Amino acid sequence: MGGSNPVLLDGEEWQAYFRDFKRSAFRLETQQVYTMPAEAETVRSFLAGEARPKDFNATWHETIRDHAAAGRTMTRAKVIRTPLTDYSRYLFEWCIPGNVEAGEAYQIVDLTDRPNPGLPDQDFWLFDETTVVHLNYRPDGTQINRELVSSPDLRKYLAWRDLALENAVPFRGYRA
């Protein structure tokens, strides 16, 4: 984590980053399990074999479509190892397909049978190639906080983005 007085983002202040970016939003996802209270019920439903609700993630999909229509890109690189965790299976079955359909460029970096090419073990969002937000998690996947990185070394984050994408396959290609 960052300096002595980290800027932690929550609520409207955090949502504004997704509303207000001008060109691009990139996310590196490194955790194999995310324990998000807002998702607990839908993860349980998925694991119980229930059908995905028709309006599942509709608000997020609308956000993605609006950005895509305006020419702004949303890209995500998800690091995985097989066998997939229950949470990753939930992502693959319920979450990612709708994101891709809405226009998000969702990429899979499968490190099952190869060494990590040099990606950090740190989730982050990179907005407009200028703003970095670390997503910090406990080992069980519970989010600790979202921390705005002051004066980030942008070359490092851009290199990590490029490295992730060079080692990734599109979600649809991975599924096949």
Side-chain angles (χ1 to χ4, degrees):
M1 296 192 234
S4 54
N5 291 315
V7 176
L8 303 180
L9 302 172
D10 213 350
E12 169 58 27
E13 189 180 18
W14 172 233
Q15 294 306 316
Y17 284 88
F18 294 97
R19 188 182 57 241
D20 298 340
F21 72 88
K22 304 293 183 233
R23 294 177 309 283
S24 64
F26 170 81
R27 164 90 186 261
L28 180 66
E29 279 185 5
T30 66
Q31 309 296 309
Q32 301 306 295
V33 175
Y34 295 93
T35 307
M36 306 296 286
E39 292 178 338
E41 190 177 321
T42 56
V43 170
R44 268 195 304 280
S45 296
F46 166 75
L47 293 174
E50 296 174 20
R52 180 179 60 213
K54 289 229 179 294
D55 63 347
F56 183 73
N57 276 354
T59 304
W60 180 244
H61 297 155
E62 186 179 328
T63 297
I64 296 169
R65 281 193 295 276
D66 289 350
H67 285 305
R72 294 182 291 269
T73 60
M74 295 185 76
T75 306
R76 202 179 303 231
K78 168 81 181 137
V79 175
I80 62 137
R81 292 172 186 82
T82 57
L84 295 177
T85 62
D86 285 347
Y87 186 84
S88 289
R89 288 181 28 248
Y90 161 76
L91 286 180
F92 275 51
E93 298 295 323
W94 277 32
C95 301
I96 301 172
N99 290 8
V100 170
E101 193 177 303
E104 185 175 11
Y106 216 112
Q107 307 289 312
I108 302 298
V109 182
D110 188 341
L111 297 182
T112 303
D113 296 319
R114 60 183 173 147
N116 184 328
L119 295 172
D121 190 26
Q122 171 68 60
D123 282 43
F124 65 85
W125 277 100
L126 174 64
F127 296 100
D128 293 328
E129 301 186 348
T130 59
T131 302
V132 176
V133 178
H134 280 186
L135 295 96
N136 299 310
Y137 295 90
R138 293 184 182 90
D140 72 352
T142 304
Q143 191 172 80
I144 300 167
N145 58 32
R146 292 175 292 264
E147 179 183 349
L148 181 64
V149 178
S150 59
S151 306
D153 179 351
L154 290 171
R155 289 176 313 230
K156 182 171 71 174
Y157 290 93
L158 292 168
W160 283 334
R161 178 202 62 194
D162 296 347
L163 185 62
L165 296 176
E166 285 163 17
N167 284 277
V169 295
F171 177 72
R172 285 194 174 121
Y174 183 81
R175 294 288 309 252

